[in-house]
Amino acid sequence: MKNLTSLGLWGNDIATIPNEIGMLTGLTSLRLWSNVITAIPTEIQLLTDLRIVWLGENQINNIPSEIGLLTGLTSLGISENRLRGVPSEI
């Protein structure tokens, strides 16, 4: 599935993003809002083609600083979570 460019699984009861997400290196869009996700794996840094990440309406309390390595990111939706702060790398 390395050719996959867009992954949208919103409105489910997904609790975790597996570390294997880092294997989907062709992703440009990751839309996982309105789930019950609690953490973003650091492997997200491997998705260097990502432009859009929507993780709003989850239960995330921490954004890994590695997300700052996604220099092509143009849209980051993280509203309605349980964030304790935002890393300075963003």
Side-chain angles (χ1 to χ4, degrees):
M1 291 192 22
K2 288 186 177 191
N3 294 329
L4 188 68
T5 59
S6 180
L7 179 61
L9 294 168
W10 57 88
N12 292 285
D13 287 326
I14 297 169
T16 60
I17 301 172
N19 294 342
E20 290 80 8
I21 193 83
M23 296 173 65
L24 301 175
T25 55
L27 277 185
T28 60
S29 174
L30 180 62
R31 295 178 168 109
L32 299 173
W33 75 84
S34 194
N35 282 290
V36 291
I37 297 166
T38 58
I40 303 169
T42 58
E43 286 78 6
I44 199 165
Q45 70 181 314
L46 302 174
L47 306 178
T48 56
D49 289 341
L50 269 180
R51 301 294 176 257
I52 299 167
V53 176
W54 292 352
L55 294 169
E57 299 177 38
N58 279 288
Q59 298 176 15
I60 298 166
N61 58 31
N62 183 39
I63 300 173
S65 60
E66 288 83 359
I67 208 161
L69 299 173
L70 302 175
T71 57
L73 201 60
T74 60
S75 178
L76 176 61
I78 52 175
S79 62
E80 297 185 48
N81 276 286
R82 299 178 177 178
L83 297 177
R84 296 183 183 136
V86 178
S88 60
E89 290 82 1
I90 292 181

